[in-house]
Amino acid sequence: MDELKQIHAQVITTGLARLTYTTSKILAFCTTSETGDMNYAEIVYNQVVIPTVFDFNTMIMGYSKSSKPNKGLEIYARVQNEGFEPNGRAFPALTKDCSSISAPYQVHGQVMKFGQGCDVYVVSSIINIYSKFGAIKIARQVFDESLNKNVVCWTSLIRGYYGNGLSDEARQVFDSMPERNDDSRFPFMQKET
């Protein structure tokens, strides 16, 4: 991080900080690198004059992996207040930021509002978060209503059932899957060993 801070200082003194691309790269390193620093990322983020959707998503994803996941929800609220429309990259990270049962409903509502309900990765993240909170019936409803289902969506539902102690239901879903890979067998492989 010391080297990045030196680079950032050079970027500021040379006037390159006004270029979105440059600050976005610094921000991405702070949030995604193993040696990154979310506190420094927040400093960089707050200095960005015109943040982009990439910057918002980067911060949301960074907080989803941090000890302060609720800050990702705060960033999302700020995005909304500034008039930005989120893209599909924001929602899977937002579901990781949910710390109470009401939050998945709110995120799911936003997914539908912004037309991201067809994105299989968004759908699978919604299924995962409902399952995490034991709302497996709602997770199943999300799955059933999804027009596009790939192995990720099927696996999310299987893991949701299995994680909630419903191994018979998980097996039924697994058996009805049109396409399988090693990841979709994961819950059953664990139980057998």
Side-chain angles (χ1 to χ4, degrees):
M1 273 306 295
D2 290 337
E3 292 88 2
L4 180 73
K5 289 178 181 179
Q6 290 172 3
I7 292 168
H8 188 217
Q10 282 290 67
V11 165
I12 291 169
T13 55
T14 59
L16 293 174
R18 62 183 165 75
L19 300 176
T20 305
Y21 177 80
T22 308
T23 53
S24 293
K25 288 295 182 184
I26 292 170
L27 192 61
F29 181 86
C30 291
T31 60
T32 60
S33 169
E34 285 184 26
T35 58
D37 180 345
M38 282 307 296
N39 292 326
Y40 195 74
E42 193 167 351
I43 292 167
V44 172
Y45 176 77
N46 288 330
Q47 292 173 352
V48 176
V49 179
I50 304 172
T52 65
V53 172
F54 175 84
D55 297 329
F56 294 130
N57 288 345
T58 299
M59 290 299 289
I60 290 167
M61 286 187 262
Y63 279 122
S64 74
K65 298 178 215 167
S66 77
S67 61
K68 304 177 200 171
N70 285 340
K71 297 236 354 162
L73 294 170
E74 290 174 20
I75 295 286
Y76 181 77
R78 198 176 335 168
V79 168
Q80 295 296 293
N81 290 336
E82 293 178 16
F84 281 87
E85 189 169 309
N87 62 19
R89 294 280 188 206
F91 296 112
L94 277 175
T95 60
K96 293 176 185 171
D97 296 342
C98 296
S99 60
S100 68
I101 188 60
S102 64
Y105 294 103
Q106 294 168 356
V107 173
H108 188 191
Q110 292 291 301
V111 164
M112 300 314 289
K113 176 181 176 181
F114 290 106
Q116 298 295 323
C118 292
D119 183 315
V120 292
Y121 297 102
V122 172
V123 170
S124 66
S125 67
I126 297 294
I127 292 168
N128 284 333
I129 194 63
Y130 279 131
S131 299
K132 174 184 169 187
F133 285 104
I136 195 68
K137 287 182 181 178
I138 297 169
R140 179 61 193 241
Q141 181 180 349
V142 170
F143 176 83
D144 289 340
E145 292 174 358
S146 175
L147 300 176
N148 302 319
K149 297 177 187 100
N150 68 359
V151 72
V152 176
C153 292
W154 285 87
T155 303
S156 294
L157 185 61
I158 291 167
R159 286 183 176 173
Y161 275 130
Y162 195 75
N164 281 282
L166 303 168
S167 54
D168 291 340
E169 289 85 345
R171 187 65 197 201
Q172 288 171 358
V173 172
F174 177 77
D175 289 340
S176 66
M177 249 177 108
E179 180 181 324
R180 298 179 190 137
N181 67 17
D182 287 341
D183 287 338
S184 56
R185 291 192 333 237
F186 174 72
F188 302 110
M189 290 170 63
Q190 264 194 343
K191 187 175 183 182
E192 292 171 2
T193 58

PDB file of all heavy atoms in Angstrom, residues 5 17 29-30 35 48 54 61 68 84-85 88 90 101 106-107 110 122 127 136 139 142 150-151 155 159 161 175 180:
ATOM      1  N   LYS A   5       0.255   4.495  -2.368  1.00  0.00           N
ATOM      2  CA  LYS A   5       0.073   5.848  -1.839  1.00  0.00           C
ATOM      3  C   LYS A   5       1.050   6.826  -2.498  1.00  0.00           C
ATOM      4  O   LYS A   5       0.690   7.969  -2.782  1.00  0.00           O
ATOM      5  CB  LYS A   5       0.227   5.852  -0.321  1.00  0.00           C
ATOM      6  CG  LYS A   5      -0.945   5.159   0.379  1.00  0.00           C
ATOM      7  CD  LYS A   5      -0.758   5.114   1.889  1.00  0.00           C
ATOM      8  CE  LYS A   5      -1.926   4.388   2.544  1.00  0.00           C
ATOM      9  NZ  LYS A   5      -1.791   4.295   3.986  1.00  0.00           N
ATOM     10  N   ALA A  17      -5.155  13.109 -11.369  1.00  0.00           N
ATOM     11  CA  ALA A  17      -6.250  12.688 -10.491  1.00  0.00           C
ATOM     12  C   ALA A  17      -7.604  13.085 -11.060  1.00  0.00           C
ATOM     13  O   ALA A  17      -8.617  12.475 -10.730  1.00  0.00           O
ATOM     14  CB  ALA A  17      -6.077  13.276  -9.099  1.00  0.00           C
ATOM     15  N   PHE A  29      -7.660  -1.138  -6.975  1.00  0.00           N
ATOM     16  CA  PHE A  29      -6.582  -1.820  -6.261  1.00  0.00           C
ATOM     17  C   PHE A  29      -6.849  -1.818  -4.758  1.00  0.00           C
ATOM     18  O   PHE A  29      -6.679  -2.839  -4.085  1.00  0.00           O
ATOM     19  CB  PHE A  29      -5.228  -1.179  -6.556  1.00  0.00           C
ATOM     20  CG  PHE A  29      -4.100  -1.884  -5.854  1.00  0.00           C
ATOM     21  CD1 PHE A  29      -3.500  -2.985  -6.437  1.00  0.00           C
ATOM     22  CD2 PHE A  29      -3.666  -1.470  -4.605  1.00  0.00           C
ATOM     23  CE1 PHE A  29      -2.475  -3.667  -5.781  1.00  0.00           C
ATOM     24  CE2 PHE A  29      -2.641  -2.136  -3.945  1.00  0.00           C
ATOM     25  CZ  PHE A  29      -2.047  -3.235  -4.533  1.00  0.00           C
ATOM     26  N   CYS A  30      -7.272  -0.691  -4.236  1.00  0.00           N
ATOM     27  CA  CYS A  30      -7.520  -0.573  -2.792  1.00  0.00           C
ATOM     28  C   CYS A  30      -8.614  -1.529  -2.326  1.00  0.00           C
ATOM     29  O   CYS A  30      -8.560  -2.034  -1.204  1.00  0.00           O
ATOM     30  CB  CYS A  30      -7.919   0.849  -2.431  1.00  0.00           C
ATOM     31  SG  CYS A  30      -6.616   2.061  -2.575  1.00  0.00           S
ATOM     32  N   THR A  35      -3.657  -6.781  -0.459  1.00  0.00           N
ATOM     33  CA  THR A  35      -2.944  -5.781   0.336  1.00  0.00           C
ATOM     34  C   THR A  35      -3.669  -4.431   0.312  1.00  0.00           C
ATOM     35  O   THR A  35      -3.119  -3.432   0.756  1.00  0.00           O
ATOM     36  CB  THR A  35      -1.504  -5.592  -0.178  1.00  0.00           C
ATOM     37  OG1 THR A  35      -1.555  -5.201  -1.550  1.00  0.00           O
ATOM     38  CG2 THR A  35      -0.705  -6.872  -0.032  1.00  0.00           C
ATOM     39  N   VAL A  48     -12.989  11.702  -5.616  1.00  0.00           N
ATOM     40  CA  VAL A  48     -13.383  11.606  -7.023  1.00  0.00           C
ATOM     41  C   VAL A  48     -14.476  12.635  -7.285  1.00  0.00           C
ATOM     42  O   VAL A  48     -15.523  12.618  -6.645  1.00  0.00           O
ATOM     43  CB  VAL A  48     -13.870  10.184  -7.379  1.00  0.00           C
ATOM     44  CG1 VAL A  48     -14.365  10.124  -8.813  1.00  0.00           C
ATOM     45  CG2 VAL A  48     -12.767   9.168  -7.147  1.00  0.00           C
ATOM     46  N   PHE A  54     -18.701   2.343 -12.302  1.00  0.00           N
ATOM     47  CA  PHE A  54     -17.588   1.452 -11.964  1.00  0.00           C
ATOM     48  C   PHE A  54     -17.065   1.764 -10.561  1.00  0.00           C
ATOM     49  O   PHE A  54     -16.816   0.855  -9.768  1.00  0.00           O
ATOM     50  CB  PHE A  54     -16.455   1.593 -12.999  1.00  0.00           C
ATOM     51  CG  PHE A  54     -15.235   0.792 -12.652  1.00  0.00           C
ATOM     52  CD1 PHE A  54     -15.158  -0.555 -12.991  1.00  0.00           C
ATOM     53  CD2 PHE A  54     -14.174   1.364 -11.974  1.00  0.00           C
ATOM     54  CE1 PHE A  54     -14.037  -1.303 -12.669  1.00  0.00           C
ATOM     55  CE2 PHE A  54     -13.041   0.636 -11.650  1.00  0.00           C
ATOM     56  CZ  PHE A  54     -12.978  -0.718 -11.999  1.00  0.00           C
ATOM     57  N   MET A  61     -18.442  -3.638  -3.881  1.00  0.00           N
ATOM     58  CA  MET A  61     -17.791  -4.955  -3.846  1.00  0.00           C
ATOM     59  C   MET A  61     -16.707  -5.014  -2.775  1.00  0.00           C
ATOM     60  O   MET A  61     -16.563  -6.023  -2.087  1.00  0.00           O
ATOM     61  CB  MET A  61     -17.215  -5.294  -5.215  1.00  0.00           C
ATOM     62  CG  MET A  61     -18.287  -5.675  -6.214  1.00  0.00           C
ATOM     63  SD  MET A  61     -17.603  -6.257  -7.766  1.00  0.00           S
ATOM     64  CE  MET A  61     -17.719  -4.775  -8.744  1.00  0.00           C
ATOM     65  N   LYS A  68     -17.018  -4.280   7.264  1.00  0.00           N
ATOM     66  CA  LYS A  68     -18.096  -3.290   7.316  1.00  0.00           C
ATOM     67  C   LYS A  68     -19.018  -3.418   6.095  1.00  0.00           C
ATOM     68  O   LYS A  68     -19.141  -2.489   5.300  1.00  0.00           O
ATOM     69  CB  LYS A  68     -17.514  -1.882   7.337  1.00  0.00           C
ATOM     70  CG  LYS A  68     -16.531  -1.598   8.432  1.00  0.00           C
ATOM     71  CD  LYS A  68     -15.999  -0.194   8.267  1.00  0.00           C
ATOM     72  CE  LYS A  68     -14.698  -0.001   8.983  1.00  0.00           C
ATOM     73  NZ  LYS A  68     -14.071   1.275   8.666  1.00  0.00           N
ATOM     74  N   PHE A  84     -27.679   8.041 -10.169  1.00  0.00           N
ATOM     75  CA  PHE A  84     -27.087   6.996 -11.005  1.00  0.00           C
ATOM     76  C   PHE A  84     -27.977   5.768 -11.006  1.00  0.00           C
ATOM     77  O   PHE A  84     -28.571   5.421  -9.997  1.00  0.00           O
ATOM     78  CB  PHE A  84     -25.705   6.598 -10.494  1.00  0.00           C
ATOM     79  CG  PHE A  84     -24.615   7.543 -10.882  1.00  0.00           C
ATOM     80  CD1 PHE A  84     -24.333   8.649 -10.100  1.00  0.00           C
ATOM     81  CD2 PHE A  84     -23.872   7.331 -12.028  1.00  0.00           C
ATOM     82  CE1 PHE A  84     -23.330   9.528 -10.445  1.00  0.00           C
ATOM     83  CE2 PHE A  84     -22.860   8.204 -12.390  1.00  0.00           C
ATOM     84  CZ  PHE A  84     -22.583   9.306 -11.601  1.00  0.00           C
ATOM     85  N   GLU A  85     -28.049   5.114 -12.144  1.00  0.00           N
ATOM     86  CA  GLU A  85     -28.779   3.861 -12.241  1.00  0.00           C
ATOM     87  C   GLU A  85     -27.779   2.720 -12.140  1.00  0.00           C
ATOM     88  O   GLU A  85     -26.842   2.642 -12.935  1.00  0.00           O
ATOM     89  CB  GLU A  85     -29.526   3.786 -13.570  1.00  0.00           C
ATOM     90  CG  GLU A  85     -30.460   2.615 -13.642  1.00  0.00           C
ATOM     91  CD  GLU A  85     -31.382   2.691 -14.843  1.00  0.00           C
ATOM     92  OE1 GLU A  85     -32.019   3.739 -15.037  1.00  0.00           O
ATOM     93  OE2 GLU A  85     -31.431   1.689 -15.580  1.00  0.00           O
ATOM     94  N   GLY A  88     -25.991  -4.476 -13.309  1.00  0.00           N
ATOM     95  CA  GLY A  88     -26.052  -5.804 -12.705  1.00  0.00           C
ATOM     96  C   GLY A  88     -24.877  -6.163 -11.817  1.00  0.00           C
ATOM     97  O   GLY A  88     -24.980  -7.064 -10.996  1.00  0.00           O
ATOM     98  N   ALA A  90     -23.653  -4.420  -9.392  1.00  0.00           N
ATOM     99  CA  ALA A  90     -23.850  -3.945  -8.020  1.00  0.00           C
ATOM    100  C   ALA A  90     -24.625  -4.944  -7.163  1.00  0.00           C
ATOM    101  O   ALA A  90     -24.323  -5.115  -5.986  1.00  0.00           O
ATOM    102  CB  ALA A  90     -24.577  -2.602  -8.020  1.00  0.00           C
ATOM    103  N   ILE A 101     -32.889  -9.702   7.710  1.00  0.00           N
ATOM    104  CA  ILE A 101     -33.832 -10.322   6.775  1.00  0.00           C
ATOM    105  C   ILE A 101     -34.560  -9.293   5.913  1.00  0.00           C
ATOM    106  O   ILE A 101     -34.983  -9.609   4.808  1.00  0.00           O
ATOM    107  CB  ILE A 101     -34.828 -11.245   7.520  1.00  0.00           C
ATOM    108  CG1 ILE A 101     -35.694 -12.056   6.527  1.00  0.00           C
ATOM    109  CG2 ILE A 101     -35.700 -10.456   8.470  1.00  0.00           C
ATOM    110  CD1 ILE A 101     -34.941 -12.961   5.597  1.00  0.00           C
ATOM    111  N   GLN A 106     -35.355  -5.615   0.112  1.00  0.00           N
ATOM    112  CA  GLN A 106     -35.060  -4.304  -0.466  1.00  0.00           C
ATOM    113  C   GLN A 106     -34.177  -4.422  -1.701  1.00  0.00           C
ATOM    114  O   GLN A 106     -34.432  -3.791  -2.725  1.00  0.00           O
ATOM    115  CB  GLN A 106     -34.408  -3.407   0.588  1.00  0.00           C
ATOM    116  CG  GLN A 106     -35.337  -3.071   1.728  1.00  0.00           C
ATOM    117  CD  GLN A 106     -34.612  -2.423   2.903  1.00  0.00           C
ATOM    118  OE1 GLN A 106     -33.399  -2.292   2.909  1.00  0.00           O
ATOM    119  NE2 GLN A 106     -35.379  -2.021   3.907  1.00  0.00           N
ATOM    120  N   VAL A 107     -33.142  -5.244  -1.611  1.00  0.00           N
ATOM    121  CA  VAL A 107     -32.251  -5.438  -2.758  1.00  0.00           C
ATOM    122  C   VAL A 107     -33.023  -6.085  -3.907  1.00  0.00           C
ATOM    123  O   VAL A 107     -32.906  -5.666  -5.062  1.00  0.00           O
ATOM    124  CB  VAL A 107     -31.014  -6.282  -2.372  1.00  0.00           C
ATOM    125  CG1 VAL A 107     -30.189  -6.629  -3.598  1.00  0.00           C
ATOM    126  CG2 VAL A 107     -30.160  -5.539  -1.350  1.00  0.00           C
ATOM    127  N   GLN A 110     -35.030  -3.583  -5.697  1.00  0.00           N
ATOM    128  CA  GLN A 110     -34.191  -2.744  -6.560  1.00  0.00           C
ATOM    129  C   GLN A 110     -33.804  -3.491  -7.842  1.00  0.00           C
ATOM    130  O   GLN A 110     -33.764  -2.903  -8.921  1.00  0.00           O
ATOM    131  CB  GLN A 110     -32.929  -2.299  -5.813  1.00  0.00           C
ATOM    132  CG  GLN A 110     -33.194  -1.342  -4.672  1.00  0.00           C
ATOM    133  CD  GLN A 110     -33.652   0.015  -5.189  1.00  0.00           C
ATOM    134  OE1 GLN A 110     -32.944   0.663  -5.934  1.00  0.00           O
ATOM    135  NE2 GLN A 110     -34.843   0.412  -4.808  1.00  0.00           N
ATOM    136  N   VAL A 122     -27.279 -12.192 -10.974  1.00  0.00           N
ATOM    137  CA  VAL A 122     -28.075 -11.414 -10.022  1.00  0.00           C
ATOM    138  C   VAL A 122     -29.127 -12.320  -9.397  1.00  0.00           C
ATOM    139  O   VAL A 122     -29.305 -12.343  -8.172  1.00  0.00           O
ATOM    140  CB  VAL A 122     -28.722 -10.190 -10.717  1.00  0.00           C
ATOM    141  CG1 VAL A 122     -29.704  -9.501  -9.791  1.00  0.00           C
ATOM    142  CG2 VAL A 122     -27.660  -9.219 -11.209  1.00  0.00           C
ATOM    143  N   ILE A 127     -31.231 -15.621  -4.834  1.00  0.00           N
ATOM    144  CA  ILE A 127     -31.567 -16.953  -4.300  1.00  0.00           C
ATOM    145  C   ILE A 127     -30.668 -17.272  -3.102  1.00  0.00           C
ATOM    146  O   ILE A 127     -31.146 -17.733  -2.060  1.00  0.00           O
ATOM    147  CB  ILE A 127     -31.428 -18.033  -5.396  1.00  0.00           C
ATOM    148  CG1 ILE A 127     -32.504 -17.842  -6.464  1.00  0.00           C
ATOM    149  CG2 ILE A 127     -31.513 -19.440  -4.790  1.00  0.00           C
ATOM    150  CD1 ILE A 127     -32.286 -18.660  -7.724  1.00  0.00           C
ATOM    151  N   ILE A 136     -36.407 -19.937   2.178  1.00  0.00           N
ATOM    152  CA  ILE A 136     -36.199 -20.830   1.040  1.00  0.00           C
ATOM    153  C   ILE A 136     -37.406 -20.848   0.100  1.00  0.00           C
ATOM    154  O   ILE A 136     -37.244 -21.037  -1.113  1.00  0.00           O
ATOM    155  CB  ILE A 136     -35.796 -22.245   1.516  1.00  0.00           C
ATOM    156  CG1 ILE A 136     -35.230 -23.082   0.359  1.00  0.00           C
ATOM    157  CG2 ILE A 136     -36.939 -22.949   2.205  1.00  0.00           C
ATOM    158  CD1 ILE A 136     -33.917 -22.601  -0.148  1.00  0.00           C
ATOM    159  N   ALA A 139     -36.837 -17.981  -2.078  1.00  0.00           N
ATOM    160  CA  ALA A 139     -35.733 -18.321  -2.975  1.00  0.00           C
ATOM    161  C   ALA A 139     -36.246 -19.187  -4.120  1.00  0.00           C
ATOM    162  O   ALA A 139     -35.897 -18.968  -5.288  1.00  0.00           O
ATOM    163  CB  ALA A 139     -34.628 -19.041  -2.208  1.00  0.00           C
ATOM    164  N   VAL A 142     -38.236 -17.056  -6.574  1.00  0.00           N
ATOM    165  CA  VAL A 142     -37.321 -16.287  -7.434  1.00  0.00           C
ATOM    166  C   VAL A 142     -36.794 -17.201  -8.542  1.00  0.00           C
ATOM    167  O   VAL A 142     -36.774 -16.821  -9.718  1.00  0.00           O
ATOM    168  CB  VAL A 142     -36.162 -15.675  -6.619  1.00  0.00           C
ATOM    169  CG1 VAL A 142     -35.084 -15.094  -7.531  1.00  0.00           C
ATOM    170  CG2 VAL A 142     -36.689 -14.605  -5.664  1.00  0.00           C
ATOM    171  N   ASN A 150     -29.269 -20.873 -15.535  1.00  0.00           N
ATOM    172  CA  ASN A 150     -28.098 -21.651 -15.918  1.00  0.00           C
ATOM    173  C   ASN A 150     -27.686 -22.496 -14.722  1.00  0.00           C
ATOM    174  O   ASN A 150     -28.361 -22.505 -13.683  1.00  0.00           O
ATOM    175  CB  ASN A 150     -26.966 -20.747 -16.427  1.00  0.00           C
ATOM    176  CG  ASN A 150     -26.365 -19.884 -15.352  1.00  0.00           C
ATOM    177  OD1 ASN A 150     -26.779 -19.905 -14.192  1.00  0.00           O
ATOM    178  ND2 ASN A 150     -25.370 -19.104 -15.714  1.00  0.00           N
ATOM    179  N   VAL A 151     -26.576 -23.170 -14.840  1.00  0.00           N
ATOM    180  CA  VAL A 151     -26.127 -24.060 -13.774  1.00  0.00           C
ATOM    181  C   VAL A 151     -25.891 -23.292 -12.467  1.00  0.00           C
ATOM    182  O   VAL A 151     -26.072 -23.844 -11.375  1.00  0.00           O
ATOM    183  CB  VAL A 151     -24.874 -24.866 -14.216  1.00  0.00           C
ATOM    184  CG1 VAL A 151     -23.652 -23.982 -14.294  1.00  0.00           C
ATOM    185  CG2 VAL A 151     -24.635 -26.055 -13.311  1.00  0.00           C
ATOM    186  N   THR A 155     -27.628 -24.432  -9.067  1.00  0.00           N
ATOM    187  CA  THR A 155     -26.744 -24.752  -7.943  1.00  0.00           C
ATOM    188  C   THR A 155     -27.065 -23.894  -6.726  1.00  0.00           C
ATOM    189  O   THR A 155     -27.030 -24.378  -5.591  1.00  0.00           O
ATOM    190  CB  THR A 155     -25.270 -24.584  -8.369  1.00  0.00           C
ATOM    191  OG1 THR A 155     -25.023 -25.411  -9.502  1.00  0.00           O
ATOM    192  CG2 THR A 155     -24.326 -24.964  -7.246  1.00  0.00           C
ATOM    193  N   ARG A 159     -28.011 -25.552  -3.210  1.00  0.00           N
ATOM    194  CA  ARG A 159     -27.266 -25.212  -1.981  1.00  0.00           C
ATOM    195  C   ARG A 159     -28.180 -24.572  -0.943  1.00  0.00           C
ATOM    196  O   ARG A 159     -28.004 -24.789   0.255  1.00  0.00           O
ATOM    197  CB  ARG A 159     -26.105 -24.288  -2.314  1.00  0.00           C
ATOM    198  CG  ARG A 159     -24.980 -25.000  -3.004  1.00  0.00           C
ATOM    199  CD  ARG A 159     -23.811 -24.094  -3.253  1.00  0.00           C
ATOM    200  NE  ARG A 159     -22.722 -24.869  -3.839  1.00  0.00           N
ATOM    201  CZ  ARG A 159     -21.621 -24.350  -4.300  1.00  0.00           C
ATOM    202  NH1 ARG A 159     -21.438 -23.048  -4.261  1.00  0.00           N
ATOM    203  NH2 ARG A 159     -20.689 -25.109  -4.817  1.00  0.00           N
ATOM    204  N   TYR A 161     -31.439 -25.178  -0.475  1.00  0.00           N
ATOM    205  CA  TYR A 161     -32.191 -26.258   0.166  1.00  0.00           C
ATOM    206  C   TYR A 161     -31.289 -27.043   1.117  1.00  0.00           C
ATOM    207  O   TYR A 161     -31.639 -27.294   2.264  1.00  0.00           O
ATOM    208  CB  TYR A 161     -32.759 -27.221  -0.887  1.00  0.00           C
ATOM    209  CG  TYR A 161     -34.085 -26.783  -1.473  1.00  0.00           C
ATOM    210  CD1 TYR A 161     -34.270 -26.750  -2.847  1.00  0.00           C
ATOM    211  CD2 TYR A 161     -35.166 -26.439  -0.664  1.00  0.00           C
ATOM    212  CE1 TYR A 161     -35.483 -26.379  -3.400  1.00  0.00           C
ATOM    213  CE2 TYR A 161     -36.385 -26.063  -1.199  1.00  0.00           C
ATOM    214  CZ  TYR A 161     -36.537 -26.036  -2.561  1.00  0.00           C
ATOM    215  OH  TYR A 161     -37.744 -25.663  -3.097  1.00  0.00           O
ATOM    216  N   ASP A 175     -31.922 -33.646  -9.396  1.00  0.00           N
ATOM    217  CA  ASP A 175     -32.339 -34.662 -10.360  1.00  0.00           C
ATOM    218  C   ASP A 175     -33.084 -34.059 -11.548  1.00  0.00           C
ATOM    219  O   ASP A 175     -33.075 -34.623 -12.634  1.00  0.00           O
ATOM    220  CB  ASP A 175     -33.210 -35.721  -9.682  1.00  0.00           C
ATOM    221  CG  ASP A 175     -32.408 -36.614  -8.736  1.00  0.00           C
ATOM    222  OD1 ASP A 175     -31.158 -36.674  -8.879  1.00  0.00           O
ATOM    223  OD2 ASP A 175     -33.027 -37.230  -7.849  1.00  0.00           O
ATOM    224  N   ARG A 180     -25.587 -30.451 -15.686  1.00  0.00           N
ATOM    225  CA  ARG A 180     -24.869 -30.521 -14.407  1.00  0.00           C
ATOM    226  C   ARG A 180     -23.375 -30.398 -14.627  1.00  0.00           C
ATOM    227  O   ARG A 180     -22.857 -30.758 -15.663  1.00  0.00           O
ATOM    228  CB  ARG A 180     -25.135 -31.855 -13.719  1.00  0.00           C
ATOM    229  CG  ARG A 180     -26.571 -32.063 -13.388  1.00  0.00           C
ATOM    230  CD  ARG A 180     -26.763 -33.411 -12.737  1.00  0.00           C
ATOM    231  NE  ARG A 180     -28.185 -33.665 -12.662  1.00  0.00           N
ATOM    232  CZ  ARG A 180     -28.748 -34.806 -12.938  1.00  0.00           C
ATOM    233  NH1 ARG A 180     -28.034 -35.835 -13.288  1.00  0.00           N
ATOM    234  NH2 ARG A 180     -30.043 -34.938 -12.851  1.00  0.00           N
TER     235      ARG A 180
END
